[in-house]
Amino acid sequence: MKVRFAPSPTGALHIGGARTALFNWLLARGAGGRFVLRIEDTDKERSTPENVEQILDALRWLELDWDEGPVFQSGSEARHREAVDSLLASGRAYRSRATAADVAAWKATHGDERGFRGEPEQDGAVRLRVPEDGDTTFEDLVVGEVRSPNRSMDDLVIARADGTPLYNLAVAVDDLDLEITDVIRGNDHLTNTAKQLLIIQALGATPPRYGHLPLLHGPDGKKLSKRHGAASVQELRDAGYLPGAVRNYLALLGWGAGDDETILSTEELVRRFDIGGVQRNPAQFDERKLRWLNGRYMRELSIAELTAALEAFYGRTALGPAVEISAEKLQTLADFWPLCGFIFDGPVDDPPARERWLGSDGLAALAAARDALAATEAFDVASIEAALTGVVERRGCKPRDVYQPLRVALAGRPVSPGIFETVAVLGRETTLARIDVALNL
């Protein structure tokens, strides 16, 4: 088996494109085949080196390695022109100066349901002769039988008048030259397949198998876009998702393992993935479900592994103690700093929190907590818990009436990891200093 992922470098790699890459990669790895990366860079204005690097960067982050490439479609233009010349020489293609208006006039005479048929001319664009009778048919690995009546297809333009080969010709020739056995791509390419089959047949070659993946929709059933949240691989990375969780989630968009299993390691995905299990209907990308799955993956990491991931994500060091007390609350890497940043940067400024929790009763509770913490000989979690529990009991109040003023003094807001663990990580000196600041506001 030999498959390919063939993105156009016109921007960041979309989540739908990433899923296509993943499905091809899983097929190749599961079958002991080869995965080719081909860059379809014929749009010279948008196909910049920066855009190419975005695709490579996204695939590297997803840990989808390729066996061949990147192969650049622009580098095969001479081969594409050669194929056009051979089709002209064999009579399977012809030159035509027919314009869009000419095609419309022809259809007005012959019927809108008829495909345009031109006559050979000395110059002009190159059109492939489409058979008048029969159907162009293939068995799609996902969709099933796809049948296109030849009579309804226009003679296909395969090269411009200046000889520049067009998309369908280039793709068909590249797939043949790379010896691709299976073309797995998005459903938006389904209408191109009959055209590419006609080109391949005219060249006297054997076509690959084709499978077209359902498109991705948001939870509202509409085509996935930025309004649904992250739309590219880089946005998922920047939002703090783990590559393994993203691979797992993307694999389940339109494919199922058959036993409702949700958490599948990459090794399991390679072993179990089958293109025959891909559904025909559009799959829904729901970032809330990805967050949940990512949280599960994060909790599978050791504290050392999670600390390393967070330090790489934030470009900081010495995060270990804070990671240890917050790990259970995190669903993405990006959740860490909003929860624990105060440990390193000091309390945030949250006037509503001060107003609610640092009134006269709150300040009195905070002062009592300070006295208890200052008097504690050991400053470990157990000793801190005993000291603060004693304050609650002596004041005859609810725990939150002591702990929330203390949180606001330490973090600036009433949200933090566990209060006893937070105090222990901050240490006696910093804890008392922050309480003193709050008491003197």
Side-chain angles (χ1 to χ4, degrees):
M1 174 181 284
K2 194 174 187 182
V3 298
R4 48 75 156 183
F5 176 54
S8 297
T10 55
L13 182 59
H14 189 272
I15 291 169
R19 185 192 59 166
T20 298
L22 173 65
F23 280 15
N24 278 282
W25 185 86
L26 290 172
L27 279 173
R29 295 294 171 261
R34 296 183 68 77
F35 176 55
V36 180
L37 174 60
R38 184 172 80 218
I39 305 295
E40 297 190 339
D41 60 338
T42 51
D43 183 343
K44 294 182 173 55
E45 288 186 8
R46 301 178 68 189
S47 299
T48 64
E50 293 77 16
N51 284 341
V52 171
E53 182 54 37
Q54 284 197 75
I55 291 172
L56 302 182
D57 177 55
L59 294 176
R60 291 189 197 105
W61 181 78
L62 284 169
E63 299 169 359
L64 302 181
D65 57 326
W66 49 91
D67 304 302
E68 294 182 32
V71 177
F72 290 87
Q73 191 170 69
S74 59
S76 300
E77 185 173 342
R79 173 71 182 98
H80 302 154
R81 288 176 180 267
E82 178 185 304
V84 172
D85 289 342
S86 73
L87 291 170
L88 285 168
S90 68
R92 301 302 297 269
Y94 62 94
R95 291 192 178 278
S96 169
R97 292 195 296 268
T99 64
D102 294 330
V103 172
W106 191 94
K107 293 193 175 198
T109 300
H110 294 82
D112 287 340
E113 75 285 352
R114 288 287 310 279
F116 172 75
R117 300 292 182 263
E119 295 295 332
E121 300 180 70
Q122 289 298 313
D123 54 20
V126 180
R127 286 184 179 268
L128 182 77
R129 294 185 188 277
V130 175
E132 189 62 27
D133 300 319
D135 299 329
T136 297
T137 306
F138 68 99
E139 189 67 26
D140 191 281
L141 298 171
V142 176
V143 178
E145 185 182 70
V146 178
R147 185 177 295 272
S148 302
N150 293 330
R151 186 179 176 84
S152 65
M153 286 192 280
D154 295 340
D155 281 356
L156 178 65
V157 180
I158 58 173
R160 297 188 180 93
D162 65 2
T164 304
L166 296 183
Y167 173 79
N168 283 302
L169 181 285
V171 168
V173 171
D174 287 348
D175 286 339
L176 292 176
D177 288 354
L178 289 169
E179 299 180 330
I180 301 300
T181 63
D182 296 78
V183 173
I184 309 301
R185 55 191 178 186
N187 199 266
D188 51 329
H189 287 282
L190 183 59
T191 56
N192 288 326
T193 306
K195 301 171 185 176
Q196 292 164 18
L197 281 169
L198 286 168
I199 293 168
I200 292 170
Q201 290 164 5
L203 290 168
T206 301
R209 293 180 291 268
Y210 293 90
H212 290 87
L213 308 176
L215 299 181
L216 295 186
H217 287 180
D220 58 1
K222 297 180 180 178
K223 187 177 178 180
L224 186 65
S225 68
K226 277 187 171 291
R227 70 175 177 273
H228 297 111
S232 72
V233 172
Q234 279 85 352
E235 286 173 322
L236 291 178
R237 178 185 62 192
D238 294 346
Y241 292 101
L242 301 177
V246 174
R247 288 195 301 272
N248 188 162
Y249 184 68
L250 290 180
L252 298 177
L253 293 179
W255 174 80
D259 54 8
D260 295 327
E261 190 70 32
T262 300
I263 300 177
L264 294 166
S265 69
T266 300
E267 292 74 19
E268 288 177 291
L269 289 171
V270 167
R271 180 172 56 85
R272 299 176 68 173
F273 184 79
D274 174 16
I275 194 65
V278 175
Q279 303 165 2
R280 299 184 185 187
N281 296 326
Q284 284 195 350
F285 177 87
D286 187 341
E287 195 167 345
R288 293 173 300 175
K289 294 180 180 179
L290 175 57
R291 277 186 63 86
W292 172 84
L293 184 63
N294 199 76
R296 292 288 300 270
Y297 267 74
M298 288 180 65
R299 284 187 284 280
E300 290 295 318
L301 298 177
S302 68
I303 293 300
E305 290 169 331
L306 182 55
T307 298
L310 284 163
E311 289 181 346
F313 184 75
Y314 287 104
R316 304 281 292 243
T317 58
L319 302 184
V323 174
E324 191 166 3
I325 68 172
S326 62
E328 289 300 314
K329 294 179 179 288
L330 305 178
Q331 286 192 302
T332 72
L333 299 176
D335 290 345
F336 175 77
W337 209 259
L339 182 65
C340 294
F342 71 91
I343 294 173
F344 308 94
D345 295 342
V348 300
D349 183 24
D350 187 345
R354 291 198 301 271
E355 184 177 344
R356 178 175 181 185
W357 294 108
L358 295 182
S360 57
D361 290 343
L363 289 172
L366 185 60
R370 188 202 187 287
D371 291 342
L373 292 171
T376 302
E377 291 188 13
F379 213 73
D380 54 31
V381 172
S383 301
I384 292 164
E385 181 176 2
L388 293 177
T389 300
V391 174
V392 171
E393 291 173 351
R394 288 190 295 275
R395 291 182 63 80
C397 62
K398 295 178 180 179
R400 70 174 186 177
D401 293 332
V402 174
Y403 301 160
Q404 292 301 75
L406 180 56
R407 276 196 170 93
V408 173
L410 301 179
R413 58 181 189 155
V415 178
S416 74
I419 189 61
F420 311 131
E421 293 80 4
T422 296
V423 171
V425 166
L426 285 171
R428 187 192 306 269
E429 182 179 344
T430 298
T431 295
L432 297 181
R434 291 190 186 185
I435 292 173
D436 288 341
V437 170
L439 290 171
N440 290 292
L441 285 175

